[in-house]
Amino acid sequence: MSRRVKKSAVAAGFLAIGIAATGCSGQSATEQQGGGGDGDGSGVTISHWQHQSDARAKIVQDFADGYDDASIDVQNIPYESYFQKLGAALEADTGPCVFQLPANILAEFHDRDELAPVPESVMSAEEIESSFTPASIELLNIDDEYYALPTDVQTLMLFYNDDLFEEAGLDPSQDFETWDDLVAAAEKLTKTSGDKMIQAGIDISASPYQWFYSAPTLAYPEGLVADETGDVEYDSEPGYQAWDRLTSLVTDNAVDDPEFLAEQSKFGLGKAGMTFKEFTFTGVYQLTAPDLNFSVHVAPPVTDDAAAPVASTSWSYAVSADCEDQDAAWEWVAHLTSEESQRVWIEGGGELPSRTALLDDESLQGDSNIAAGFTALAEAVPYDSRGWDDAYAIQQEIWDEITLNGTAVEDAVDKGAEAERELYRTKGLLE
Amino acid sequence: MTTLVERGERRARPSRSLRSHRTRWAFVFLAPSLVLFGLTVFYPMARALQYSLYHWPLGSAKKFVGLDNYRRLLVDDGDFRQSVVVTLYFTVLSVLPTILVALFIAVLLNDARLRLRGLFRTIYFVPVVTSLVAVGYVWRALLEPSFGLVNTALGWVGISGPGWLASPDWALEGIVLMTVWRDLGFYMVIFLAGLQAIPREILDAARIDGAGPWRRFRHVTLPLLNPSIMLAGVIGVINGLQLFTQVYVMTGSAQQLPGGPLSSTRSVVIYIVEQTFRPLEMGYGSAAAFLLFVLIMIVTLIQFRLVQRRFEY
């Protein structure tokens, strides 16, 4: 064998070792958190993960750039892969110090010993309870300790297309008092040509989850899940009634059709009289449908004797139990959720405040739509299912079974509730 | 027919030490690829096989359960069985028409008398080099039931189009339609290569013997094209059994999880992703992935047994 071939072989061997070494170069959590390169001189670097949203990414990066107490390494991860990456990274001890979680699945991460509690030095339980709205912190308290601080609070609100309301002879300034009033208005707003729908009374088929997060939650005094048992309640009256009335919008009242503008925002296109969405959609519609003349209202109770008028969802910022500098991480989270920062979130991110002091601040309520969101928040109760996308999939299947497959409401709801229970058992959240 | 070797010029067999020397150096040069392949393919596969024997929700301690994950998938899990049915149905429904239509087009475009053959070949091949995600979104719009182009065109001829992706009865067929359209060009190229490799003199001999175009195609072209058909079939079936991107793009959205409506398009791979990354349960998803691997192996071996035949003239 010539010298040249031998040299090539040695080079190939080094290449192989190099590739192997590259493949094994995972960074540990400690290395990530303690890595150099911080420009603040404190020597502390906090890794911060959240799911991608352009508005939120910009606001957090601005906060990070202006933060002097630590260097913040912000990673915005596409929503589709956020939980996969977070779960795997926390398992492999390469996860971030600070991360964003939906408030209603905090207990699952707590159960896995992945969360550090909010230290007294940063905020005591009394301070948290006096500073934040009850709906935004209810799910953050586990075993009498707080494990996260709230962000991205959203009330679920009814949106009217004011022009279509007036065209149909309806008053867009009035809230509906009863479910029957809403159904009657939706029927008036629905238009067909031959056997085809050309305008929906309510845009619900493409995104019904806001309804099925809200109505069963509001139907019970303790929400979707019973506090004592940790079990889902909606496979009983009034849960059946909530599911029956919601699905009847499509199956009986025919105020929307899954095949009409399938999967598109009929409301945004001006092809639906109403829709039911998170408050942040006020900003979404202003951006994507600038000519849409809409107003925001509290929806009427779906069930008889509903326990509360408005449901909310929220996210939270948590700190990893493996984070080396937990106090610094919590200081950063406290900064992100401070009154001053919340003003920025409200102006830039289409959010509602979780700080009670800001609820009455009229300078933040520029128009009647924003004011409606603020008012609703004061009375809101959180959607409290113990699952996120996994629970959503189960509840969506209940919807599909009833509206697409013609399954009887009670059968579909019973099957879904049992599946959600099994999910909780799998996660170790239910005996 | 005599082979080159039979005609003489038999080369001297290399000595044993030379062969061993060559083998050793072959491995040295293959080492970088083997190491890379081992690290990125075999090692993850081995770990996945290991995980499939455990109950392992991320964040909890792993618990060895032996073959229980496999038992649950095969015996208890109706959703997994349904996803297998959906996947097999999609594979049959997409691969057969794609191969038949691609073969037909390849035969047409192989005709020397056809003008602008190069242009037509390019047109048919364009979808193959277009991003599957982009194509998926375009087809999603085309198949929209009320204003989509497909139903509008069907309306012109008096047909009331179905709900396509919004209907549990038609969603998979919509995905099949897009897949056939996209893959046509790829299989056409395989068949064109096969057609051009058929010796001209064999077809001429058949013509002299009085065989018409259909008999020449049926008894000469088709048998000699068997390796290409085999290749196309195997690639098509493997791709079909790994159905994921089309379903993910065409049925998923910010408001809807992929695989609907009513799980009518939930393929095995979609199911594996759901079971693994939604509840972060590594063991069960890994077991499902291994069952898919076994399914692909079995189907491919059956294909080899049924289709692989040698034809010589």
mmCIF file of all heavy atoms in Angstrom, chain B residues 106-129:
data_model
loop_
_atom_site.group_PDB
_atom_site.id
_atom_site.type_symbol
_atom_site.label_atom_id
_atom_site.label_comp_id
_atom_site.label_asym_id
_atom_site.label_seq_id
_atom_site.Cartn_x
_atom_site.Cartn_y
_atom_site.Cartn_z
ATOM 1 N N ALA B 106 -44.924 7.168 -19.073
ATOM 2 C CA ALA B 106 -43.546 6.858 -19.486
ATOM 3 C C ALA B 106 -43.526 6.231 -20.877
ATOM 4 O O ALA B 106 -42.674 6.566 -21.705
ATOM 5 C CB ALA B 106 -42.902 5.914 -18.467
ATOM 6 N N VAL B 107 -44.474 5.340 -21.139
ATOM 7 C CA VAL B 107 -44.538 4.712 -22.470
ATOM 8 C C VAL B 107 -44.813 5.781 -23.533
ATOM 9 O O VAL B 107 -44.183 5.806 -24.588
ATOM 10 C CB VAL B 107 -45.616 3.601 -22.490
ATOM 11 C CG1 VAL B 107 -45.862 3.110 -23.910
ATOM 12 C CG2 VAL B 107 -45.186 2.435 -21.613
ATOM 13 N N LEU B 108 -45.747 6.683 -23.241
ATOM 14 C CA LEU B 108 -46.048 7.759 -24.186
ATOM 15 C C LEU B 108 -44.821 8.631 -24.431
ATOM 16 O O LEU B 108 -44.489 8.961 -25.580
ATOM 17 C CB LEU B 108 -47.180 8.644 -23.653
ATOM 18 C CG LEU B 108 -48.601 8.094 -23.652
ATOM 19 C CD1 LEU B 108 -49.568 9.146 -23.125
ATOM 20 C CD2 LEU B 108 -49.017 7.674 -25.054
ATOM 21 N N LEU B 109 -44.140 8.998 -23.345
ATOM 22 C CA LEU B 109 -43.011 9.920 -23.476
ATOM 23 C C LEU B 109 -41.748 9.231 -23.980
ATOM 24 O O LEU B 109 -40.746 9.882 -24.243
ATOM 25 C CB LEU B 109 -42.723 10.603 -22.130
ATOM 26 C CG LEU B 109 -43.822 11.527 -21.598
ATOM 27 C CD1 LEU B 109 -43.406 12.197 -20.301
ATOM 28 C CD2 LEU B 109 -44.166 12.592 -22.627
ATOM 29 N N ASN B 110 -41.811 7.919 -24.107
ATOM 30 C CA ASN B 110 -40.655 7.175 -24.644
ATOM 31 C C ASN B 110 -40.757 7.044 -26.170
ATOM 32 O O ASN B 110 -39.828 6.568 -26.806
ATOM 33 C CB ASN B 110 -40.597 5.787 -23.998
ATOM 34 C CG ASN B 110 -39.270 5.112 -24.231
ATOM 35 O OD1 ASN B 110 -38.227 5.733 -24.091
ATOM 36 N ND2 ASN B 110 -39.304 3.843 -24.604
ATOM 37 N N ASP B 111 -41.875 7.458 -26.703
ATOM 38 C CA ASP B 111 -42.091 7.337 -28.149
ATOM 39 C C ASP B 111 -41.279 8.411 -28.869
ATOM 40 O O ASP B 111 -41.499 9.611 -28.656
ATOM 41 C CB ASP B 111 -43.595 7.503 -28.434
ATOM 42 C CG ASP B 111 -43.931 7.121 -29.873
ATOM 43 O OD1 ASP B 111 -43.029 7.228 -30.737
ATOM 44 O OD2 ASP B 111 -45.073 6.714 -30.122
ATOM 45 N N ALA B 112 -40.371 7.964 -29.718
ATOM 46 C CA ALA B 112 -39.470 8.898 -30.394
ATOM 47 C C ALA B 112 -40.229 9.866 -31.300
ATOM 48 O O ALA B 112 -39.715 10.925 -31.668
ATOM 49 C CB ALA B 112 -38.441 8.110 -31.199
ATOM 50 N N ARG B 113 -41.460 9.489 -31.683
ATOM 51 C CA ARG B 113 -42.204 10.354 -32.603
ATOM 52 C C ARG B 113 -42.811 11.563 -31.889
ATOM 53 O O ARG B 113 -43.245 12.514 -32.516
ATOM 54 C CB ARG B 113 -43.326 9.561 -33.287
ATOM 55 C CG ARG B 113 -42.810 8.492 -34.241
ATOM 56 C CD ARG B 113 -43.905 7.533 -34.617
ATOM 57 N NE ARG B 113 -44.425 6.842 -33.430
ATOM 58 C CZ ARG B 113 -45.416 5.956 -33.464
ATOM 59 N NH1 ARG B 113 -46.012 5.670 -34.595
ATOM 60 N NH2 ARG B 113 -45.816 5.359 -32.353
ATOM 61 N N LEU B 114 -42.872 11.499 -30.566
ATOM 62 C CA LEU B 114 -43.520 12.584 -29.814
ATOM 63 C C LEU B 114 -42.612 13.811 -29.774
ATOM 64 O O LEU B 114 -41.449 13.729 -29.396
ATOM 65 C CB LEU B 114 -43.818 12.121 -28.378
ATOM 66 C CG LEU B 114 -44.556 13.133 -27.505
ATOM 67 C CD1 LEU B 114 -46.015 13.267 -27.933
ATOM 68 C CD2 LEU B 114 -44.486 12.727 -26.039
ATOM 69 N N ARG B 115 -43.184 14.948 -30.170
ATOM 70 C CA ARG B 115 -42.401 16.190 -30.130
ATOM 71 C C ARG B 115 -42.459 16.772 -28.710
ATOM 72 O O ARG B 115 -43.376 16.509 -27.961
ATOM 73 C CB ARG B 115 -42.958 17.179 -31.144
ATOM 74 C CG ARG B 115 -42.797 16.681 -32.564
ATOM 75 C CD ARG B 115 -43.503 17.571 -33.536
ATOM 76 N NE ARG B 115 -42.857 18.874 -33.643
ATOM 77 C CZ ARG B 115 -43.346 19.872 -34.370
ATOM 78 N NH1 ARG B 115 -44.489 19.729 -35.016
ATOM 79 N NH2 ARG B 115 -42.715 21.016 -34.452
ATOM 80 N N LEU B 116 -41.483 17.571 -28.386
ATOM 81 C CA LEU B 116 -41.389 18.239 -27.066
ATOM 82 C C LEU B 116 -41.386 17.243 -25.900
ATOM 83 O O LEU B 116 -41.933 17.515 -24.839
ATOM 84 C CB LEU B 116 -42.545 19.248 -26.893
ATOM 85 C CG LEU B 116 -42.650 20.353 -27.930
ATOM 86 C CD1 LEU B 116 -43.908 21.176 -27.709
ATOM 87 C CD2 LEU B 116 -41.432 21.263 -27.871
ATOM 88 N N ARG B 117 -40.769 16.082 -26.172
ATOM 89 C CA ARG B 117 -40.743 15.080 -25.101
ATOM 90 C C ARG B 117 -40.045 15.596 -23.849
ATOM 91 O O ARG B 117 -40.481 15.376 -22.736
ATOM 92 C CB ARG B 117 -40.005 13.820 -25.586
ATOM 93 C CG ARG B 117 -40.870 12.909 -26.414
ATOM 94 C CD ARG B 117 -40.149 11.620 -26.699
ATOM 95 N NE ARG B 117 -38.857 11.858 -27.365
ATOM 96 C CZ ARG B 117 -37.903 10.956 -27.479
ATOM 97 N NH1 ARG B 117 -38.079 9.759 -26.963
ATOM 98 N NH2 ARG B 117 -36.786 11.230 -28.115
ATOM 99 N N GLY B 118 -38.946 16.317 -24.054
ATOM 100 C CA GLY B 118 -38.180 16.844 -22.928
ATOM 101 C C GLY B 118 -39.026 17.787 -22.073
ATOM 102 O O GLY B 118 -38.979 17.739 -20.840
ATOM 103 N N LEU B 119 -39.804 18.625 -22.760
ATOM 104 C CA LEU B 119 -40.655 19.581 -22.038
ATOM 105 C C LEU B 119 -41.691 18.840 -21.190
ATOM 106 O O LEU B 119 -41.881 19.140 -20.006
ATOM 107 C CB LEU B 119 -41.354 20.507 -23.036
ATOM 108 C CG LEU B 119 -42.329 21.502 -22.415
ATOM 109 C CD1 LEU B 119 -41.569 22.532 -21.578
ATOM 110 C CD2 LEU B 119 -43.143 22.219 -23.491
ATOM 111 N N PHE B 120 -42.326 17.839 -21.797
ATOM 112 C CA PHE B 120 -43.351 17.077 -21.053
ATOM 113 C C PHE B 120 -42.730 16.337 -19.853
ATOM 114 O O PHE B 120 -43.311 16.304 -18.772
ATOM 115 C CB PHE B 120 -44.058 16.068 -21.965
ATOM 116 C CG PHE B 120 -45.041 16.724 -22.902
ATOM 117 C CD1 PHE B 120 -44.913 16.603 -24.273
ATOM 118 C CD2 PHE B 120 -46.103 17.464 -22.403
ATOM 119 C CE1 PHE B 120 -45.812 17.211 -25.125
ATOM 120 C CE2 PHE B 120 -47.013 18.070 -23.251
ATOM 121 C CZ PHE B 120 -46.869 17.954 -24.623
ATOM 122 N N ARG B 121 -41.558 15.771 -20.079
ATOM 123 C CA ARG B 121 -40.894 15.055 -18.979
ATOM 124 C C ARG B 121 -40.612 16.026 -17.827
ATOM 125 O O ARG B 121 -40.808 15.700 -16.653
ATOM 126 C CB ARG B 121 -39.575 14.441 -19.456
ATOM 127 C CG ARG B 121 -39.789 13.219 -20.326
ATOM 128 C CD ARG B 121 -38.472 12.721 -20.876
ATOM 129 N NE ARG B 121 -38.697 11.658 -21.835
ATOM 130 C CZ ARG B 121 -37.725 11.074 -22.526
ATOM 131 N NH1 ARG B 121 -36.484 11.452 -22.370
ATOM 132 N NH2 ARG B 121 -38.002 10.108 -23.369
ATOM 133 N N THR B 122 -40.150 17.237 -18.192
ATOM 134 C CA THR B 122 -39.867 18.239 -17.152
ATOM 135 C C THR B 122 -41.146 18.605 -16.411
ATOM 136 O O THR B 122 -41.160 18.689 -15.173
ATOM 137 C CB THR B 122 -39.257 19.501 -17.800
ATOM 138 O OG1 THR B 122 -38.159 19.101 -18.592
ATOM 139 C CG2 THR B 122 -38.803 20.498 -16.740
ATOM 140 N N ILE B 123 -42.214 18.823 -17.157
ATOM 141 C CA ILE B 123 -43.488 19.223 -16.521
ATOM 142 C C ILE B 123 -43.938 18.156 -15.525
ATOM 143 O O ILE B 123 -44.317 18.473 -14.397
ATOM 144 C CB ILE B 123 -44.574 19.463 -17.599
ATOM 145 C CG1 ILE B 123 -44.252 20.742 -18.375
ATOM 146 C CG2 ILE B 123 -45.964 19.540 -16.965
ATOM 147 C CD1 ILE B 123 -45.126 20.969 -19.592
ATOM 148 N N TYR B 124 -43.869 16.885 -15.950
ATOM 149 C CA TYR B 124 -44.309 15.821 -15.031
ATOM 150 C C TYR B 124 -43.387 15.691 -13.828
ATOM 151 O O TYR B 124 -43.809 15.229 -12.774
ATOM 152 C CB TYR B 124 -44.383 14.477 -15.767
ATOM 153 C CG TYR B 124 -45.658 14.317 -16.555
ATOM 154 C CD1 TYR B 124 -45.656 14.336 -17.937
ATOM 155 C CD2 TYR B 124 -46.880 14.161 -15.896
ATOM 156 C CE1 TYR B 124 -46.827 14.207 -18.655
ATOM 157 C CE2 TYR B 124 -48.054 14.034 -16.606
ATOM 158 C CZ TYR B 124 -48.025 14.055 -17.989
ATOM 159 O OH TYR B 124 -49.198 13.931 -18.680
ATOM 160 N N PHE B 125 -42.109 16.106 -13.984
ATOM 161 C CA PHE B 125 -41.169 15.911 -12.896
ATOM 162 C C PHE B 125 -41.157 17.077 -11.901
ATOM 163 O O PHE B 125 -40.692 16.920 -10.771
ATOM 164 C CB PHE B 125 -39.750 15.689 -13.450
ATOM 165 C CG PHE B 125 -38.817 15.063 -12.460
ATOM 166 C CD1 PHE B 125 -38.980 13.745 -12.059
ATOM 167 C CD2 PHE B 125 -37.790 15.798 -11.882
ATOM 168 C CE1 PHE B 125 -38.145 13.165 -11.116
ATOM 169 C CE2 PHE B 125 -36.946 15.227 -10.938
ATOM 170 C CZ PHE B 125 -37.120 13.908 -10.562
ATOM 171 N N VAL B 126 -41.683 18.226 -12.322
ATOM 172 C CA VAL B 126 -41.644 19.417 -11.451
ATOM 173 C C VAL B 126 -42.234 19.164 -10.064
ATOM 174 O O VAL B 126 -41.622 19.542 -9.050
ATOM 175 C CB VAL B 126 -42.326 20.618 -12.143
ATOM 176 C CG1 VAL B 126 -42.640 21.729 -11.143
ATOM 177 C CG2 VAL B 126 -41.421 21.166 -13.237
ATOM 178 N N PRO B 127 -43.400 18.499 -9.931
ATOM 179 C CA PRO B 127 -43.943 18.291 -8.573
ATOM 180 C C PRO B 127 -42.996 17.524 -7.656
ATOM 181 O O PRO B 127 -43.010 17.729 -6.449
ATOM 182 C CB PRO B 127 -45.222 17.479 -8.814
ATOM 183 C CG PRO B 127 -45.601 17.777 -10.223
ATOM 184 C CD PRO B 127 -44.317 17.990 -10.954
ATOM 185 N N VAL B 128 -42.163 16.636 -8.251
ATOM 186 C CA VAL B 128 -41.272 15.817 -7.421
ATOM 187 C C VAL B 128 -40.237 16.698 -6.720
ATOM 188 O O VAL B 128 -39.876 16.446 -5.570
ATOM 189 C CB VAL B 128 -40.552 14.750 -8.287
ATOM 190 C CG1 VAL B 128 -39.640 13.889 -7.431
ATOM 191 C CG2 VAL B 128 -41.567 13.900 -9.016
ATOM 192 N N VAL B 129 -39.775 17.747 -7.413
ATOM 193 C CA VAL B 129 -38.738 18.584 -6.808
ATOM 194 C C VAL B 129 -39.336 19.754 -6.027
ATOM 195 O O VAL B 129 -38.621 20.586 -5.492
ATOM 196 C CB VAL B 129 -37.747 19.117 -7.873
ATOM 197 C CG1 VAL B 129 -36.946 17.993 -8.458
ATOM 198 C CG2 VAL B 129 -38.460 19.902 -8.955
#
